[in-house]
Amino acid sequence: MKFVVSSSVLLKQLSAVNGVIANNPIVPILENFLFQIDQSQLTVTASDLQTVMITTLAIESTDSGAIAVPARLLLDTLRGLPDQPITFKIDSETFGTEIITENGRYKLSGENPIDFPKVPQVTKSLSVQIPADVLGAAIANTIFAVSNDDLRPAMTGVYVQLSPEYTNFVATDGHRLIRYRRADVKSEYDSTMIIPRKALNLLKSTLPSDDTTVTADFSSANAFFSFNNIRMICRLIDERFPDYENAIPQNNPNVMMINRAEFLGSLKRISIYSNKTTHQIRLKLAKNDLVISAEDLDYSNEANEKLMCDYDGEEMEIGFNAKFMVEMLGNISSNMISLEMSQPNRAGLIIPSDKKENEDILLLVMPVMLNTYA
């Protein structure tokens, strides 16, 4: 079995799907790419049992067959090669593979492709067409708030609520919550699912930045995404997502309007002086006046800054985790934001003032108790 392919084209396609492969996979065969040659087309599959990514590319060949090729060894070889046509010669009995370049030969041991896990077939119960830039924005605006706590598996992915009117993308780790709503993504009927963080990160890194159409098909157990020459299949998280809507406070009479960049810059500076465990910062609000302060009693460090703002409400002091605030504000592009609050022990809502067409973002951050230090 033999085929010829451009080294740079092959490297680009392998790099797109390589992120699926785990460092220490449960099944050793998953350290490999599955190559399936069908004359002038090569299909490459990478899997970790939970997520599968597949890409196709054109090659020069008259043969057909399959082989599992060591992923890391092949990628390291291709990264060191200049752009040139390379020839793969594969022994169909021993699965020995030889890569022939302009001035070199590289031999590596392949494996029997029959041991590679079968790819789940598309058995869709729901299908949605989403522009790539819209899906990329939905992932970017939510993925950072996904929980890393494997003891709460429902929160280790992004909750997707599809409806005939709009689609919500929701993420929470128990300390903050993001609801990203798109009015231009709709489905025929209501449906919900939780998509794992790893799958979404892989999607985010491979999605084009234009409005290329992404076809998303969903079954009861899997999600299938396809665009250009890439397909991804991931297993959905079979858990019940928290009732996040009840966590969003509805009556918030204390509203602060402030420049996002100025607020973010001040938070970054003040947070340097906060306690390294709690990351607590204090907001003291009065009429058109905001004082941001932090202190670390362990090292007698403290700092405060005064900012101009438009505040309508009662004078109050409220504490937040600076790390969460900085991360949330850093993921918003709006020039102005509003921080809506009810009481110092209730969640605050961050709402961008500059709304884009078909887009609505709500960020919820839980307060921290003032004067509590680790």
Side-chain angles (χ1 to χ4, degrees):
M1 193 163 56
K2 176 182 174 182
F3 68 90
V4 180
V5 66
S6 163
S7 61
S8 60
V9 171
L10 181 59
L11 176 60
K12 181 181 179 181
Q13 297 303 315
L14 294 183
S15 298
V17 300
N18 179 56
V20 175
I21 298 175
N23 290 327
N24 295 297
I26 300 171
V27 184
I29 190 74
L30 296 179
E31 292 180 329
N32 298 267
F33 292 121
L34 175 64
F35 278 16
Q36 293 170 295
I37 301 107
D38 185 9
Q39 296 185 353
S40 62
Q41 180 172 282
L42 171 65
T43 301
V44 182
T45 304
S47 172
D48 68 354
L49 294 179
Q50 300 296 317
T51 308
V52 180
M53 287 194 78
I54 303 166
T55 185
T56 57
L57 62 151
I59 57 172
E60 294 178 22
S61 179
T62 56
D63 299 328
S64 295
I67 185 173
V69 183
R72 182 176 297 177
L73 187 59
L74 178 56
L75 279 169
D76 288 345
T77 303
L78 292 173
R79 288 187 185 113
L81 289 175
D83 183 19
Q84 60 182 286
I86 57 174
T87 302
F88 281 75
K89 285 186 177 179
I90 300 160
D91 188 318
S92 300
E93 293 184 1
T94 65
F95 303 108
T97 302
E98 185 176 17
I99 303 171
I100 304 170
T101 67
E102 289 177 356
N103 53 6
R105 304 171 87 90
Y106 311 85
K107 290 185 178 181
L108 48 89
S109 298
E111 294 191 42
N112 194 330
I114 200 169
D115 297 328
F116 204 88
K118 294 287 183 288
V119 176
Q121 296 302 305
V122 179
T123 54
K124 62 182 180 182
S125 57
L126 178 66
S127 184
V128 181
Q129 306 284 321
I130 311 174
D133 53 351
V134 170
L135 181 57
I139 296 171
N141 278 285
T142 53
I143 196 75
F144 66 91
V146 169
S147 174
N148 294 313
D149 187 358
D150 291 331
L151 296 177
R152 296 189 288 182
M155 296 161 70
T156 60
V158 172
Y159 181 59
V160 181
Q161 281 182 304
L162 292 159
S163 77
E165 292 82 34
Y166 54 77
T167 294
N168 285 337
F169 299 85
V170 185
T172 182
D173 58 7
H175 303 286
R176 54 192 167 164
L177 182 146
I178 317 294
R179 188 195 69 195
Y180 181 81
R181 176 174 291 173
R182 294 294 308 204
D184 53 350
V185 179
K186 304 173 184 179
S187 69
E188 295 179 14
Y189 50 87
D190 293 345
S191 184
T192 62
M193 69 281 302
I194 306 173
I195 304 175
R197 178 182 57 247
K198 179 179 178 177
L200 291 174
N201 273 323
L202 290 168
L203 259 183
K204 181 184 173 185
S205 63
T206 53
L207 281 171
S209 57
D210 55 22
D211 60 354
T212 298
T213 299
V214 178
T215 301
D217 299 319
F218 301 97
S219 68
S220 58
N222 296 301
F224 307 84
F225 298 91
S226 60
F227 55 95
N228 296 338
N229 60 340
I230 290 180
R231 287 181 291 150
M232 189 183 83
I233 303 105
C234 70
R235 187 167 300 184
L236 298 173
I237 297 174
D238 186 18
E239 296 284 341
R240 180 171 178 171
F241 197 77
D243 185 8
Y244 75 91
E245 291 177 345
N246 282 337
I248 300 173
Q250 300 301 316
N251 185 23
N252 305 288
N254 303 305
V255 180
M256 176 186 73
M257 288 285 295
I258 193 168
N259 181 280
R260 182 192 65 87
E262 291 180 6
F263 190 29
L264 177 58
S266 182
L267 286 172
K268 286 180 177 179
R269 293 186 295 271
I270 296 298
S271 65
I272 297 170
Y273 292 83
S274 66
N275 182 277
K276 297 301 180 280
T277 302
T278 64
H279 304 287
Q280 178 187 295
I281 52 102
R282 181 192 307 252
L283 305 184
K284 186 175 182 180
L285 291 148
K287 189 71 174 175
N288 299 330
D289 196 47
L290 167 65
V291 176
I292 307 174
S293 61
E295 57 183 329
D296 187 349
L297 297 180
D298 295 337
Y299 298 98
S300 300
N301 297 331
E302 62 177 285
N304 68 79
E305 284 189 19
K306 193 173 184 179
L307 294 178
M308 293 295 294
C309 68
D310 184 2
Y311 179 62
D312 183 16
E314 298 177 358
E315 291 190 9
M316 67 184 297
E317 287 189 43
I318 187 168
F320 290 110
N321 183 308
K323 183 180 176 183
F324 294 155
M325 291 288 284
V326 166
E327 198 167 23
M328 293 168 83
L329 291 172
N331 277 276
I332 303 172
S333 58
S334 175
N335 289 325
M336 302 291 293
I337 59 108
S338 66
L339 176 60
E340 301 181 2
M341 300 155 287
S342 56
Q343 297 174 8
N345 62 347
R346 299 291 304 276
L349 298 182
I350 300 173
I351 301 174
S353 300
D354 308 331
K355 295 185 183 295
K356 296 179 182 178
E357 186 179 3
N358 295 316
E359 180 184 82
D360 183 62
I361 310 174
L362 181 145
L363 304 95
L364 178 149
V365 58
M366 297 300 295
V368 294
M369 295 297 292
L370 293 171
N371 300 321
T372 58
Y373 298 95

